[in-house]
Amino acid sequence: LSAPHELTRRDRQFTLRETAGLASSTAAAAVAAGRPARAVELLERARGVLAADALGTPDTALADLRREQPELAAELEELRAALPAAFDGSAEERLRHGVRWTRLLARIRALGNADFLDGPTIDELREAAGEGPVVLVYSSAWRSDALILDPAAPPTEPVAVVPLPDLIAEDAVARAQRLQDALAALREPGDDPFAAQEHAQSELHDTLEWLWDTVAAPVLDRLGMDGTADRPRPRLWWCPVGFLASLPLHAAGLHRSPPPTGRRRATLLDRTVSSTTSTLRVLAQARTRPPASPAAGTLVVALPQTPGAEPLGHAEKEAARVAELLRPAGPVTVLTGPAATSQSVLDALPRHGTAHFVCHGLTDPLDPSGSRLLLADHRERPLTVAVLAGLRLREADLAHLSACSTGVTAHRLADEFVHITAAFQLCGYRQVVGTLWPVTDAAAEAVAEAFHARRAAGLPGAEALTDALLDLRDRYLAAPTRWAAHVHTGV
């Protein structure tokens, strides 16, 4: 109700800003009432409203509707298909579409399907945890918790609650702001670049240690993931809520401390293979998509020179190395310089299973749907979040975004995940590698080469990125800005 279809996408974003924090508050109330499963359901309903439009009607719900009420199902599919055009149309068109949508839902629910599109149940959401635990982390003014969906848990207790008393919302927001300010100072260091660099690295290490103490360690303790050295690292998914999504939870740890005897170092990178997800439904959808066939090949897009932006000195070298590593697995198409236009990329994406971008990323804090990858014609035809989220790619498997801040959005829209990384996942990619802050092109190149070399050797995406980041961590321990920005999203 807070973002009806009668509004433009931009206006819906504005109204959703006004409900920032609602998801965490409702979850806290449900947990306090002894209903953790309901807390998970509410978190799923209150977040990703715009993403739900992109995902469409769940297959199971639509199949039931086709069987029970085929005429209404056909009308629903027609309205779904017309949704993008309605958002881009006139106010009258949006109003007409919104009224039809509201009335159709009322008719469907009145004819015996009272819960239709009323949000997934906890049993449906548990499917997202089919390959390992998923941990939702939220912080509110009243309490903070980690809610664990573990496939090994009994159906009678589908959600485990791990209280996080040291995760205080006001302190966490202040810490996130300090980190953002320190990282921003690297771009404009002033008279003392060395001091700015030292401050940023120290602030980031402090943040990673705080995330370990307040969030990661209590969760791993509950799951029994103690980092025993001779055991394989378990798979784990994190679903941070609200402003927590802007923090590098995937790299949390005591990286500056030596490992305890017989155990791996006390960090998530050392003890788990971690990924993130925006919502459980997005993760569950990604699991239903088959991996792309090797014949689908790879698209490499590189912009060494971009109109109106700084040159990327390592772009050509990175693109050539990625193409070299991936060519044995299938055909590789390379678009560089003036050839890397928005239209050429949009034409090529459906024909390739893997996409690797080496370019600038631009975050628009006022209109996050306008955040974009800067291609050769970005001034005339930008490749924006809105454009990407509207695509439907069947062969999409992996997108690696070697660009700045692709996983960043406006603070008050954090629960909507309106950023470039999420847009690639919504258009069909099962897994996406993105960044949480600006990265140097040298660091991006190092991550890309290490990641794709491990993938070429047969490692799955999440494990390949984890090992790549560990390798860089061990080489540049004092500089976490080089290795903690990249995060794996999806399966």
Side-chain angles (χ1 to χ4, degrees), residues 99-299:
V99 169
R100 284 188 64 192
W101 179 263
T102 301
R103 289 177 176 173
L104 178 59
L105 282 185
R107 287 164 58 199
I108 292 172
R109 290 168 177 171
L111 291 174
N113 201 338
D115 296 328
F116 186 75
L117 296 190
D118 199 27
T121 66
I122 192 62
D123 290 335
E124 294 168 333
L125 293 173
R126 286 191 73 193
E127 296 178 8
E131 297 178 19
V134 181
V135 185
L136 297 94
V137 183
Y138 75 89
S139 182
S140 75
W142 297 280
R143 62 181 297 150
S144 301
D145 299 287
L147 307 177
I148 303 176
L149 278 77
D150 189 344
T156 54
E157 298 179 6
V159 179
V161 179
V162 180
L164 303 175
D166 295 327
L167 181 60
I168 300 169
E170 289 184 0
D171 294 346
V173 170
R175 185 177 288 274
Q177 186 61 54
R178 288 202 309 271
L179 177 60
Q180 180 178 327
D181 292 344
L183 293 170
L186 291 178
R187 310 292 285 184
E188 299 181 10
D191 296 332
D192 194 345
F194 180 77
Q197 185 70 231
E198 286 286 295
H199 176 62
Q201 307 301 352
S202 177
E203 190 69 46
L204 181 50
H205 261 307
D206 289 346
T207 300
L208 297 176
E209 290 169 1
W210 169 77
L211 285 168
W212 175 262
D213 291 334
T214 60
V215 179
V219 169
L220 295 195
D221 286 346
R222 177 61 178 263
L223 290 171
M225 299 178 181
D226 60 2
T228 301
D230 58 354
R231 294 179 187 170
R233 292 171 301 180
R235 198 75 170 84
L236 191 60
W237 279 264
W238 296 92
C239 185
V241 177
F243 66 90
L244 295 173
S246 67
L247 292 167
L249 178 57
H250 68 288
L254 310 181
H255 296 275
R256 294 180 287 192
S257 301
T261 303
R263 304 194 187 283
R264 294 188 173 95
R265 195 187 301 266
T267 81
L268 283 178
L269 292 175
D270 287 276
R271 296 192 176 188
T272 72
V273 174
S274 285
S275 298
T276 66
T277 185
S278 51
T279 66
L280 296 170
R281 184 178 171 190
V282 167
L283 180 59
Q285 286 274 84
R287 292 200 191 288
T288 65
R289 303 185 190 113
S293 64
T298 299
L299 172 66

